[in-house]
Amino acid sequence: MSATSSEIQFRTIELPVHASCCVAFRRDSFVASFGDATRFDLQAGLAGEQYLAWLLRKIAADPESCVHCWLNERIIGQVEMTIETLPGVRRGYVNLFYLASEYRGRGLADQLQSYVDGYMRVRSIRTLRLKAARTNLTALRFYAKHGWREIGSHDQDPGVAVFERVVAGDRT
Protein backbone atom coordinates (compact mmCIF):
# COMPACT_ATOMS: atom_id res chain seq x y z
CA MET A 1 0.00 0.00 0.00
CA SER A 2 1.53 3.33 -0.97
CA ALA A 3 1.70 6.26 1.44
CA THR A 4 -1.06 8.14 -0.36
CA SER A 5 -3.42 5.15 -0.38
CA SER A 6 -3.14 4.86 3.41
CA GLU A 7 -3.65 8.54 4.18
CA ILE A 8 -6.98 9.16 5.86
CA GLN A 9 -9.07 12.17 4.92
CA PHE A 10 -11.25 13.74 7.59
CA ARG A 11 -14.58 15.13 6.42
CA THR A 12 -17.47 16.57 8.40
CA ILE A 13 -20.15 13.95 8.86
CA GLU A 14 -22.96 14.39 6.33
CA LEU A 15 -25.66 13.28 8.72
CA PRO A 16 -28.59 13.20 6.26
CA VAL A 17 -26.58 10.84 4.05
CA HIS A 18 -24.61 8.81 6.61
CA ALA A 19 -26.84 8.60 9.70
CA SER A 20 -27.06 4.79 9.54
CA CYS A 21 -23.27 4.58 9.27
CA CYS A 22 -22.89 6.79 12.36
CA VAL A 23 -25.29 4.64 14.37
CA ALA A 24 -23.59 1.43 13.22
CA PHE A 25 -20.14 2.75 14.14
CA ARG A 26 -21.26 4.02 17.54
CA ARG A 27 -23.12 0.79 18.28
CA ASP A 28 -20.04 -1.25 17.27
CA SER A 29 -17.87 0.88 19.56
CA PHE A 30 -20.07 -0.28 22.46
CA VAL A 31 -19.74 -3.90 21.34
CA ALA A 32 -15.94 -3.51 21.24
CA SER A 33 -15.97 -1.86 24.67
CA PHE A 34 -18.61 -3.79 26.59
CA GLY A 35 -19.29 -6.96 24.58
CA ASP A 36 -22.72 -5.85 23.34
CA ALA A 37 -24.68 -2.73 22.41
CA THR A 38 -27.14 -2.75 25.33
CA ARG A 39 -25.73 0.44 26.86
CA PHE A 40 -25.90 2.23 23.52
CA ASP A 41 -29.51 1.17 22.94
CA LEU A 42 -30.52 2.32 26.43
CA GLN A 43 -28.86 5.72 25.97
CA ALA A 44 -29.61 6.33 22.30
CA GLY A 45 -32.82 4.45 21.57
CA LEU A 46 -33.06 1.36 19.39
CA ALA A 47 -32.73 3.40 16.18
CA GLY A 48 -30.15 5.72 17.74
CA GLU A 49 -32.52 8.68 17.58
CA GLN A 50 -31.20 10.42 20.73
CA TYR A 51 -27.63 9.88 19.57
CA LEU A 52 -28.41 11.29 16.11
CA ALA A 53 -30.09 14.35 17.65
CA TRP A 54 -26.98 14.94 19.80
CA LEU A 55 -24.72 14.47 16.77
CA LEU A 56 -26.79 16.91 14.72
CA ARG A 57 -26.38 19.57 17.43
CA LYS A 58 -22.62 18.91 17.66
CA ILE A 59 -22.12 19.21 13.90
CA ALA A 60 -24.21 22.41 13.75
CA ALA A 61 -22.12 23.97 16.54
CA ASP A 62 -18.72 22.91 15.12
CA PRO A 63 -18.60 20.87 11.91
CA GLU A 64 -14.95 19.85 12.41
CA SER A 65 -15.72 18.25 15.79
CA CYS A 66 -17.51 15.26 14.25
CA VAL A 67 -15.85 13.74 11.23
CA HIS A 68 -15.82 10.60 9.20
CA CYS A 69 -12.50 9.05 8.34
CA TRP A 70 -12.24 8.30 4.64
CA LEU A 71 -9.74 5.98 3.00
CA ASN A 72 -9.84 5.59 -0.77
CA GLU A 73 -13.37 7.04 -0.91
CA ARG A 74 -14.69 4.66 1.74
CA ILE A 75 -15.77 5.63 5.26
CA ILE A 76 -13.66 3.56 7.64
CA GLY A 77 -14.04 5.41 10.92
CA GLN A 78 -15.36 8.30 12.92
CA VAL A 79 -14.09 10.85 15.45
CA GLU A 80 -16.30 12.91 17.78
CA MET A 81 -14.95 15.63 20.07
CA THR A 82 -16.21 18.21 22.52
CA ILE A 83 -14.62 21.18 24.20
CA GLU A 84 -15.58 21.15 27.87
CA THR A 85 -15.75 24.47 29.65
CA LEU A 86 -16.08 24.04 33.39
CA PRO A 87 -15.35 26.53 36.18
CA GLY A 88 -11.60 27.12 35.93
CA VAL A 89 -11.10 24.38 33.34
CA ARG A 90 -11.22 24.29 29.56
CA ARG A 91 -10.26 20.97 28.01
CA GLY A 92 -10.93 18.73 25.08
CA TYR A 93 -12.91 15.57 25.32
CA VAL A 94 -12.83 12.73 22.81
CA ASN A 95 -16.30 11.24 22.66
CA LEU A 96 -15.37 8.66 20.04
CA PHE A 97 -12.26 7.26 18.39
CA TYR A 98 -13.50 4.61 15.97
CA LEU A 99 -12.11 2.52 13.13
CA ALA A 100 -14.05 -0.30 11.50
CA SER A 101 -12.67 -3.64 12.68
CA GLU A 102 -11.03 -4.52 9.36
CA TYR A 103 -8.91 -1.34 9.58
CA ARG A 104 -7.71 -1.79 13.15
CA GLY A 105 -4.14 -2.84 13.85
CA ARG A 106 -2.71 -1.20 10.72
CA GLY A 107 -1.41 1.98 12.34
CA LEU A 108 -4.20 4.06 10.83
CA ALA A 109 -5.52 5.12 14.23
CA ASP A 110 -2.37 7.22 14.67
CA GLN A 111 -3.89 9.55 12.07
CA LEU A 112 -7.06 9.88 14.16
CA GLN A 113 -4.98 10.92 17.17
CA SER A 114 -3.11 13.45 14.99
CA TYR A 115 -6.42 14.90 13.77
CA VAL A 116 -7.63 15.31 17.35
CA ASP A 117 -4.37 16.99 18.40
CA GLY A 118 -4.51 19.42 15.47
CA TYR A 119 -8.16 20.24 16.11
CA MET A 120 -7.44 20.96 19.78
CA ARG A 121 -4.24 22.96 19.18
CA VAL A 122 -6.07 25.34 16.82
CA ARG A 123 -8.60 25.94 19.61
CA SER A 124 -5.88 26.47 22.26
CA ILE A 125 -6.82 23.33 24.16
CA ARG A 126 -3.92 21.83 26.11
CA THR A 127 -5.48 18.88 27.92
CA LEU A 128 -7.64 16.04 26.60
CA ARG A 129 -9.78 13.46 28.32
CA LEU A 130 -11.69 10.37 27.32
CA LYS A 131 -13.28 7.33 28.90
CA ALA A 132 -12.68 3.70 27.98
CA ALA A 133 -13.94 0.37 29.19
CA ARG A 134 -11.26 -1.49 31.10
CA THR A 135 -12.17 -4.57 29.05
CA ASN A 136 -11.33 -2.90 25.71
CA LEU A 137 -7.70 -4.02 25.62
CA THR A 138 -7.11 -2.88 22.04
CA ALA A 139 -8.16 0.67 22.92
CA LEU A 140 -6.16 0.63 26.16
CA ARG A 141 -2.98 -0.35 24.27
CA PHE A 142 -3.60 2.45 21.74
CA TYR A 143 -4.09 5.01 24.50
CA ALA A 144 -0.93 3.90 26.31
CA LYS A 145 1.05 4.15 23.06
CA HIS A 146 -0.16 7.73 22.57
CA GLY A 147 0.58 8.99 26.06
CA TRP A 148 -2.88 8.78 27.57
CA ARG A 149 -2.64 8.10 31.30
CA GLU A 150 -5.37 6.74 33.50
CA ILE A 151 -6.47 9.24 36.13
CA GLY A 152 -9.26 7.24 37.76
CA SER A 153 -12.58 5.51 37.31
CA HIS A 154 -15.80 6.91 35.92
CA ASP A 155 -17.94 8.13 38.82
CA GLN A 156 -20.91 5.88 38.03
CA ASP A 157 -19.05 2.89 36.54
CA PRO A 158 -15.79 1.51 37.96
CA GLY A 159 -15.46 -0.67 34.85
CA VAL A 160 -14.81 2.50 32.84
CA ALA A 161 -11.50 4.34 33.24
CA VAL A 162 -10.92 8.06 32.68
CA PHE A 163 -7.77 8.96 30.72
CA GLU A 164 -5.97 12.24 30.18
CA ARG A 165 -3.13 13.50 28.00
CA VAL A 166 -1.48 16.72 26.94
CA VAL A 167 -2.12 17.68 23.32
CA ALA A 168 0.86 16.65 21.17
CA GLY A 169 3.01 19.60 20.22
CA ASP A 170 1.96 21.63 23.26
CA ARG A 171 5.12 22.47 25.16
CA THR A 172 3.56 24.50 27.97
Side-chain angles (χ1 to χ4, degrees), residues 16-79:
V17 178
H18 298 122
S20 62
C21 179
C22 293
V23 171
F25 283 174
R26 191 61 119 130
R27 182 174 274 121
D28 187 51
S29 76
F30 276 74
V31 172
S33 295
F34 303 107
D36 65 42
T38 303
R39 289 177 184 222
F40 175 80
D41 293 337
L42 290 172
Q43 293 172 8
L46 291 176
E49 55 275 359
Q50 286 96 340
Y51 166 64
L52 290 172
W54 173 84
L55 198 53
L56 183 64
R57 289 189 304 274
K58 294 278 303 148
I59 293 167
D62 183 355
E64 294 175 344
S65 70
C66 298
V67 295
H68 273 143
C69 310
W70 291 77
L71 183 65
N72 301 324
E73 296 307 311
R74 179 176 179 182
I75 301 173
I76 65 162
Q78 188 167 309
V79 176

Side-chain angles (χ1 to χ4, degrees), residues 7-14 58-59 61-70 76-83 92-99 107-125 128 142 146 148 165-169:
E7 186 174 324
I8 293 174
Q9 294 181 345
F10 298 91
R11 301 180 195 159
T12 300
I13 293 171
E14 295 180 50
K58 294 278 303 148
I59 293 167
D62 183 355
E64 294 175 344
S65 70
C66 298
V67 295
H68 273 143
C69 310
W70 291 77
I76 65 162
Q78 188 167 309
V79 176
E80 300 167 5
M81 299 171 285
T82 300
I83 294 176
Y93 186 83
V94 180
N95 301 90
L96 180 65
F97 265 128
Y98 180 82
L99 278 176
L108 295 170
D110 296 350
Q111 294 177 59
L112 278 64
Q113 182 66 66
S114 293
Y115 179 83
V116 168
D117 286 339
Y119 172 91
M120 295 297 175
R121 265 193 315 275
V122 165
R123 289 156 180 82
S124 300
I125 300 296
L128 301 173
F142 173 80
H146 288 279
W148 291 89
R165 82 187 275 280
V166 173
V167 172

Side-chain angles (χ1 to χ4, degrees), residues 136-147:
N136 190 343
L137 300 180
T138 301
L140 298 179
R141 282 189 296 271
F142 173 80
Y143 300 142
K145 173 185 170 186
H146 288 279

